[in-house]
Amino acid sequence: MNSCSDISLVWQCVEYWAEKKPEAEAIVFEDTRMTWAQLHNQVERTAKALLEMGVRKGECVALLSMARPEFIITFLAASKIGAIWLGLSPKFTLNELRYIIRNCAPAVLITVRKHAGVDLIESGITFGYEFPFIRRFMVIGESYEGALSFDEEVKRPREGWDEALEQRVAEVTPDDEALLMYTSGSTGRPKGVLHTHRGIVSNVALEHACCCFTDNERVLLQMPINHVAADVEIAYATLYAGGTLVCTESFIPSRSLELIEKERITMVGQLPVMYMMQLRKKRAMEMDWSSVRFFVWGGSAMPREIIEVLAKIAEKSGARLLTNYGSTELCGFATYSAPGDSLELLARSTGKAPAPFELRIVDEARNELSTGEVGELAVRGPSVMKGYLNDPVATQEVIDDDGWYYTRDLGYIDEEGNLYLCGRMSEMYKTGGENVFPREVEEVLESHPSVLFSAVIGVPDELYSEIGHAFVVLKPGCEVTERDLQRYCRDYLVGFKVPKCIEFHEELPLLATGKVNKVALKKRFGLQDCKGA
């Protein structure tokens, strides 16, 4: 390989950078500072350990943990032997974990011993007894009778396994599956999304170009490892670039601000709600942001006020604001904002799709609509998922024979090619026969000086069939009435789009993706069977 851009298999980035700059920092976690040479050594040892345990090509290796070095090590090691890696969050309930594990049947289950004061060993042992397909169970941290120690297994010498590893590596191709992630499950049972080496590498190579990554990046990872943002958009993108990944097991606003300053973070990639929580801290206005080159957000719309605050910080540091659109099924980002985009555009649009990605907006019959018309967003490109695990019917429902992935997201594209999202197809409601797209109403509400963010859903009504119901979180210290907001909305929206009811709350329930959990909001109205966002 002449450069990291030549790689075609996920694990090859660590081999490249270990040769190019072996003593540079690859991973930082608490008191651990791991060089590229050390990371390479750990990946090799782990790959051999998995081979010795009998992990076959195409089998699954699952890790129950948060963001720490073992996340990267097991991901790269599994990819090297042609296995499929799966990240599981310790925040999942036992039943949520049970469903996923039964669905993907991992040959090896690895778990961190404790997270947030909770001992996870019992969960692992329970699954080991319940599911005979789990052939090996390993623990990170303090070991336990009946479980192997991950640290000891990786350290144990394995003479004679070099040839076996070399033979397996030769069998792995770019079109082999390497990563399994489960959707949030807000529209039913979670579905396992499969991605190949080719899909992962191609998506990150494009992100690398669009975000101007360098091998001097220092990127903070504080997302759960079952999330595409952690696995691909942040972690693998940083490794591919040859940067340093600073890991933390949980998001604590004050602690994350300390890490940004202490570790001289150059790229901050977060959900909007995380920025909101950080910027409420006094420290955020006093700290040194000079190392930051990019503030990146995605997953949901960012309130205009938060963008304005970030813009003021960026003026001093010279940082760039960047937003995007992506999904688990797309293996990361598919659109990017551009340098010089206005705050208005950043607040409303997710930017344009760089080649080779293609976008189109279609009607219910999947006929392409004209510029500016609202319909379902379809995306075509090299990182569209291979499919849903064990669910060919669901796969065929969203991917057609020409490779277009139908996202179920509603939006429109302007004359410049910028994408604007209007919500999920399942969110749209009809009031008096008229279509209402919740995101349009939310944007108006969030433009009010007193509103931080909002969520709008359709609820049953005897006269209009459905009416708009808004849930609003106000900015600290602000006051406004329901009638005030309704009058404000009428200045910007036709009458049928104005919410008939507005509730005020200090916070709203969130999904793991950082989006408002509209399923939970709908349940308040007895709409358990409604499909959520």
Side-chain angles (χ1 to χ4, degrees):
M1 292 182 293
N2 297 319
S3 72
C4 200
S5 61
D6 293 331
I7 77 169
S8 59
L9 301 169
V10 167
W11 61 271
Q12 290 176 326
C13 66
V14 71
E15 182 180 81
Y16 175 80
W17 291 111
E19 181 179 347
K20 189 172 181 66
K21 52 176 191 177
E23 300 308 313
E25 284 184 345
I27 301 176
V28 174
F29 174 70
E30 297 179 349
D31 295 330
T32 299
R33 293 185 177 270
M34 185 177 292
T35 66
W36 280 99
Q38 291 169 333
L39 176 59
H40 182 260
N41 179 265
Q42 290 290 298
V43 170
E44 291 286 299
R45 286 176 172 272
T46 304
K48 291 175 185 177
L50 294 173
L51 278 181
E52 188 183 61
M53 291 175 190
V55 177
R56 296 185 286 269
K57 187 170 179 282
E59 287 193 314
C60 180
V61 173
L63 173 66
L64 178 60
S65 174
M66 293 298 278
R68 48 185 296 140
E70 292 85 357
F71 154 45
I72 301 302
I73 293 165
T74 57
F75 179 25
L76 295 174
S79 77
K80 187 159 190 173
I81 65 168
I84 303 168
W85 184 89
L86 166 71
L88 297 167
S89 172
K91 296 180 180 180
F92 286 168
T93 66
L94 195 65
N95 282 333
E96 287 173 318
L97 290 170
R98 179 177 284 114
Y99 171 80
I100 293 173
I101 288 171
R102 182 185 289 114
N103 186 254
C104 67
V108 174
L109 175 61
I110 308 164
T111 178
V112 66
R113 178 64 193 262
K114 291 184 178 180
H115 174 71
V118 177
D119 195 332
L120 300 174
I121 195 75
E122 289 187 10
S123 296
I125 291 175
T126 297
F127 295 137
Y129 282 123
E130 286 185 20
F131 302 120
F133 49 71
I134 299 177
R135 301 197 297 274
R136 290 290 188 274
F137 172 48
M138 288 191 284
V139 178
I140 299 166
E142 184 183 354
S143 192
Y144 187 87
E145 185 178 354
L148 299 173
S149 165
F150 178 84
D151 295 335
E152 291 177 8
E153 284 299 307
V154 171
K155 289 177 182 177
R156 185 161 61 82
R158 285 182 170 77
E159 295 181 7
W161 282 91
D162 289 352
E163 185 177 343
L165 178 58
E166 185 177 338
Q167 181 177 341
R168 177 65 67 82
V169 167
E171 297 172 1
V172 182
T173 74
D175 291 317
D176 286 333
E177 298 148 358
L179 176 62
L180 176 63
M181 296 175 286
Y182 279 77
T183 60
S184 63
S186 63
T187 57
R189 286 288 198 178
K191 293 188 285 289
V193 177
L194 283 166
H195 283 290
T196 64
H197 288 263
R198 187 187 305 279
I200 297 165
V201 171
S202 63
N203 188 284
V204 165
L206 193 59
E207 180 185 347
H208 185 257
C210 291
C211 297
C212 303
F213 268 87
T214 74
D215 67 347
N216 293 317
E217 302 301 343
R218 297 181 65 84
V219 183
L220 181 59
L221 174 59
Q222 47 197 348
M223 304 283 284
I225 65 168
N226 60 297
H227 198 290
V228 67
D231 298 350
V232 181
E233 297 163 0
I234 297 175
Y236 192 69
T238 304
L239 296 170
Y240 180 92
T244 302
L245 192 65
V246 180
C247 300
T248 179
E249 288 192 292
S250 59
F251 172 70
I252 301 171
S254 56
R255 173 61 176 153
S256 68
L257 293 174
E258 289 176 11
L259 284 171
I260 289 168
E261 193 169 27
K262 175 186 174 184
E263 294 294 339
R264 304 297 293 162
I265 298 299
T266 63
M267 185 170 293
V268 181
Q270 300 181 154
L271 301 169
V273 67
M274 297 165 76
Y275 282 111
M276 285 187 267
M277 294 171 72
Q278 286 172 327
L279 295 176
R280 288 177 180 174
K281 300 293 180 183
K282 183 180 178 182
R283 180 186 179 91
M285 298 300 105
E286 300 173 345
M287 64 180 277
D288 178 9
W289 293 95
S290 62
S291 64
V292 179
R293 298 175 58 239
F294 290 93
F295 291 104
V296 186
W297 68 90
S300 61
M302 179 87 90
R304 173 65 180 264
E305 183 197 34
I306 303 301
I307 298 176
E308 290 173 351
V309 174
L310 287 177
K312 290 178 182 178
I313 294 172
E315 283 179 9
K316 297 178 182 179
S317 67
R320 173 182 160 190
L321 306 186
L322 177 69
T323 188
N324 50 65
Y325 166 81
S327 72
T328 306
E329 285 87 347
L330 293 171
C331 201
F333 305 141
T335 72
Y336 296 82
S337 58
D341 279 351
S342 67
L343 297 188
E344 178 67 21
L345 196 58
L346 288 169
R348 299 184 59 226
S349 169
T350 63
K352 302 174 184 177
F357 274 112
E358 300 172 81
L359 306 182
R360 66 180 184 184
I361 303 296
V362 300
D363 61 18
E364 293 180 359
R366 293 184 174 175
N367 298 310
E368 189 165 4
L369 296 174
S370 301
T371 299
E373 288 190 273
V374 174
E376 182 182 6
L377 170 66
V379 182
R380 184 164 63 180
S383 65
V384 169
M385 68 172 178
K386 188 169 185 177
Y388 292 121
L389 178 69
N390 302 326
D391 201 340
V393 174
T395 301
Q396 290 172 2
E397 287 176 354
V398 297
I399 301 179
D400 69 16
D401 293 340
D402 294 322
W404 285 98
Y405 164 60
Y406 295 88
T407 65
R408 308 293 294 173
D409 286 319
L410 290 166
Y412 65 93
I413 300 172
D414 68 14
E415 293 181 354
E416 278 70 50
N418 292 299
L419 173 65
Y420 298 77
L421 296 176
C422 301
R424 298 285 285 171
M425 288 179 67
S426 52
E427 283 185 357
M428 189 193 79
Y429 60 92
K430 283 182 177 285
T431 181
E434 300 281 0
N435 293 343
V436 179
F437 304 106
R439 187 60 207 151
E440 180 184 12
V441 183
E442 290 162 359
E443 285 180 348
V444 171
L445 286 167
E446 290 166 6
S447 69
H448 189 280
S450 297
V451 176
L452 184 60
F453 68 101
S454 65
V456 174
I457 63 173
V459 300
D461 182 77
E462 290 183 4
L463 181 60
Y464 295 101
S465 179
E466 288 182 293
I467 56 173
H469 191 111
F471 300 81
V472 169
V473 175
L474 297 178
K475 296 173 185 174
C478 290
E479 293 184 7
V480 67
T481 68
E482 178 184 38
R483 185 167 293 182
D484 289 338
L485 285 182
Q486 288 170 331
R487 278 200 296 261
Y488 181 80
C489 286
R490 288 190 185 97
D491 289 337
Y492 299 91
L493 298 169
V494 66
F496 69 82
K497 295 181 182 179
V498 176
K500 298 299 186 290
C501 182
I502 299 176
E503 286 186 28
F504 297 95
H505 296 268
E506 290 188 3
E507 57 184 26
L508 296 178
L510 301 176
L511 295 166
T513 56
K515 299 177 183 178
V516 173
N517 187 344
K518 292 189 175 179
V519 171
L521 296 179
K522 288 182 178 184
K523 284 182 179 179
R524 187 170 300 181
F525 295 91
L527 304 177
Q528 289 91 336
D529 294 330
C530 288
K531 292 182 178 180

